[in-house]
Amino acid sequence: MKKIKKKSEKLLSHLFYTSNESWWLVGFSMLLAGGIIVEPQLICSALIKGQLSDMWLYWSAAIGSAFSVSFFAHLWQKVPVKTENEFLFFRFSGMGAKVLHQFRSLYLGFLIIPFIISFSLLAFSKIAGSILKIDTQYAILLLSILLVFLTFFNSLKVRLRMDFVLFVIFIILFVILIISLFTSTGGINHLSKTVISSNINFSIIPSFGSKTFNAFIVYVAIQWWSASLLDYPDINGQKLMATNGSKNLVKSIFLPSIFIILFRVMLFTLPFMAVVYGYTNGCSDSELALSLLFTKALPTWMLILVFIFFMIPFLSVVQNLQNWGGSLLVENFYKHSINQNAEEKKLKKLGLLAMVYIIIASGFIAFYSSSLVGITKYLFAITAGVGPVFMMRWYWWRINAWSQLSAMLASLVFPVVLDWLVDTNSSIHIVMSKLESNLNMDYYPIKIILLTIAVCITWLVVTFLTPPTDEAILRKFVTTIRPGGFWKKFGRVGKSFSKMRTFAWIVQTSNGFLVYFMFWNFLIGNYILFISLLLIFCFSFFLAYRLIQKANTLYEIELIK
């Protein structure tokens, strides 16, 4: 135990921040920590239910991801803080900034991050339980114990390096497993013929006018900007601040993703293979059904490779989020609000304790949860209407600390109130039922619309009822970042080069959806069209990359004028 403690002290010189990191370390870490293995698991569940188009609940996020890269990634390079939450003191002022900083540190660290981690913990526990032949809840317990142990080696600097090593191992394992699966199931041509002859609903776009179609409209028109925080206010913000220069920052986001495009196409074959070959037949939990492909199609000795294959991205996601949560609770809340003169040694101990708490809380939530979709919808509901504040704080002077605080509080309270009223008040229940009938929608998309309207009205009213951020803070922010936008009387505010960035955003979004059409043509054996779409994808990818690099170069020139 003493050796472990000594080793951890050597590795964890700074738990929560680092600097001057290579773009490829940052990029592959962001990629691996993006939950790339959960998507096939969810696709498999949707296929079993005959509603592949339900995946737009998740796929709509591609619009926001492209928007983030285009309009916000470059701005983090100029923010002079160590952790992303300290940005609040750089942008806002007065009591509002202090209260917001404290609230957000505790709100995210104590509640939201454990919920996000519980999603990955539940997802992997279902897979692990199926492979190891143990109960899902028992798997959650064992994995939580493992994560507590690994906490003592979790610093951001170490995490970046471990993620790269694990990513290489992950790709090697995938190649071995995919070859073995195709060998044991008859190859890609046999899969193509089976898919074509299948009567399963593979439609990505739902039928016009159906409930699923109307939900799809809500996801792609509202949810992606309303219920998603698009300006990297998370662990990725800290990673982007650690890159060396804006060009490397863009490389870290773009280049790793082009390296694995063929990997993603092959990865998507797994749920189709599991469903059309009948490996998932009789499975009571559709969210663990993907694991049955491996347990039934591969020899027993290979299951350890399957376990490691799924565990690698799981560990990356959890430990990155855990590190971010620890930075919020210790570097932000404790150090700023309780003990500003705390010694580094004490901060490390508290940081480790905070990260242990996050794992215990996540395990507790996962233990009493049963559905990945349920966790997802809860998280979207409690962020509906907040997204615009996070975006506009970079480009509009009038957004203040109370704007963001009121948005976060409203989005936390309103979903609970709405659910309670619908369940307990007969009049409101009748109104909601009529809305569902008239709009031909289920409750969830209507809930997103109502919460978006209510939360946005709340923070807009609060914004204009409270004083703006101090002019000195605004002027410092503008002269340092020069984001462009609407900054009233603060002189040279820079340029956003919005036309170029908007075009890059549209190209990236189109590419994000093009992947699925590429995959479909690969799956059904239409290889000529697949290669054509792949070439279009690569051209569009580098077009968007060059557009953003050009916009960022012009932005850098503006900074030194």
Side-chain angles (χ1 to χ4, degrees), residues 29-316:
S29 178
M30 290 174 65
L31 193 65
L32 188 61
I36 55 179
I37 200 62
V38 176
E39 187 177 7
Q41 198 171 344
L42 294 168
I43 290 174
C44 189
S45 176
L47 285 172
I48 291 172
K49 297 173 182 176
Q51 290 287 349
L52 183 58
S53 54
D54 284 347
M55 284 299 298
W56 285 105
L57 173 68
Y58 303 92
W59 288 342
S60 60
I63 307 172
S65 298
F67 194 85
S68 300
V69 175
S70 300
F71 288 94
F72 297 105
H74 67 290
L75 300 175
W76 280 102
Q77 182 62 216
K78 304 301 176 183
V79 178
V81 296
K82 292 179 180 178
T83 62
E84 56 81 28
N85 204 44
E86 292 173 301
F87 169 82
L88 299 175
F89 288 124
F90 180 60
R91 171 60 179 83
F92 303 127
S93 63
M95 181 59 68
K98 293 180 182 178
V99 173
L100 174 60
H101 182 265
Q102 292 174 355
F103 171 75
R104 187 171 184 269
S105 299
L106 295 175
Y107 173 63
L108 291 177
F110 272 115
L111 179 63
I112 299 302
I113 291 174
F115 258 102
I116 299 173
I117 290 177
S118 72
F119 176 89
S120 294
L121 181 55
L122 179 60
F124 180 59
S125 295
K126 290 186 175 190
I127 295 291
S130 177
I131 293 172
L132 301 176
K133 307 298 182 184
I134 60 175
D135 185 74
T136 298
Q137 291 183 321
Y138 188 51
I140 290 171
L141 179 62
L142 292 177
L143 289 170
S144 297
I145 294 171
L146 172 64
L147 290 169
V148 168
F149 172 76
L150 293 176
T151 297
F152 296 93
F153 303 92
N154 188 1
S155 74
L156 184 57
K157 194 177 188 72
V158 172
R159 186 73 259 143
L160 293 175
R161 284 149 181 79
M162 283 301 300
D163 280 348
F164 181 75
V165 173
L166 290 174
F167 186 84
V168 173
I169 297 172
F170 178 73
I171 293 297
I172 293 172
L173 286 175
F174 178 72
V175 171
I176 294 171
L177 292 175
I178 200 70
I179 291 174
S180 300
L181 284 170
F182 276 128
T183 301
S184 63
T185 58
I188 185 63
N189 289 332
H190 183 256
L191 177 61
S192 298
K193 293 176 182 178
T194 308
V195 168
I196 293 170
S197 61
S198 173
N199 58 2
I200 298 173
N201 180 13
F202 295 122
S203 176
I204 293 178
I205 305 298
S207 302
F208 181 80
S210 65
K211 282 188 175 183
T212 309
F213 180 83
N214 294 336
F216 159 75
I217 295 299
V218 173
Y219 300 152
V220 299
I222 299 175
Q223 181 177 273
W224 74 265
W225 58 264
S226 169
S228 300
L229 307 182
L230 302 178
D231 68 330
Y232 293 109
D234 52 23
I235 187 63
N236 288 330
Q238 285 176 215
K239 290 178 181 178
L240 294 176
M241 287 190 288
T243 56
N244 186 12
S246 61
K247 288 187 177 181
N248 285 333
L249 182 148
V250 176
K251 286 181 182 178
S252 69
I253 298 172
F254 265 86
L255 296 187
S257 59
I258 192 66
F259 293 153
I260 66 157
I261 183 59
L262 292 178
F263 158 78
R264 287 192 69 197
V265 169
M266 297 300 295
L267 185 66
F268 291 159
T269 63
L270 298 180
F272 287 83
M273 196 183 298
V275 173
V276 299
Y277 286 151
Y279 291 116
T280 60
N281 291 347
C283 181
S284 58
D285 186 347
S286 61
E287 291 177 349
L288 66 76
L290 181 64
S291 62
L292 299 179
L293 168 66
F294 298 94
T295 57
K296 293 181 178 181
L298 295 177
T300 304
W301 69 267
M302 291 194 75
L303 294 184
I304 184 62
L305 301 182
V306 176
F307 182 81
I308 296 171
F309 171 73
F310 280 97
M311 185 170 69
I312 285 174
F314 161 73
L315 289 178
S316 178

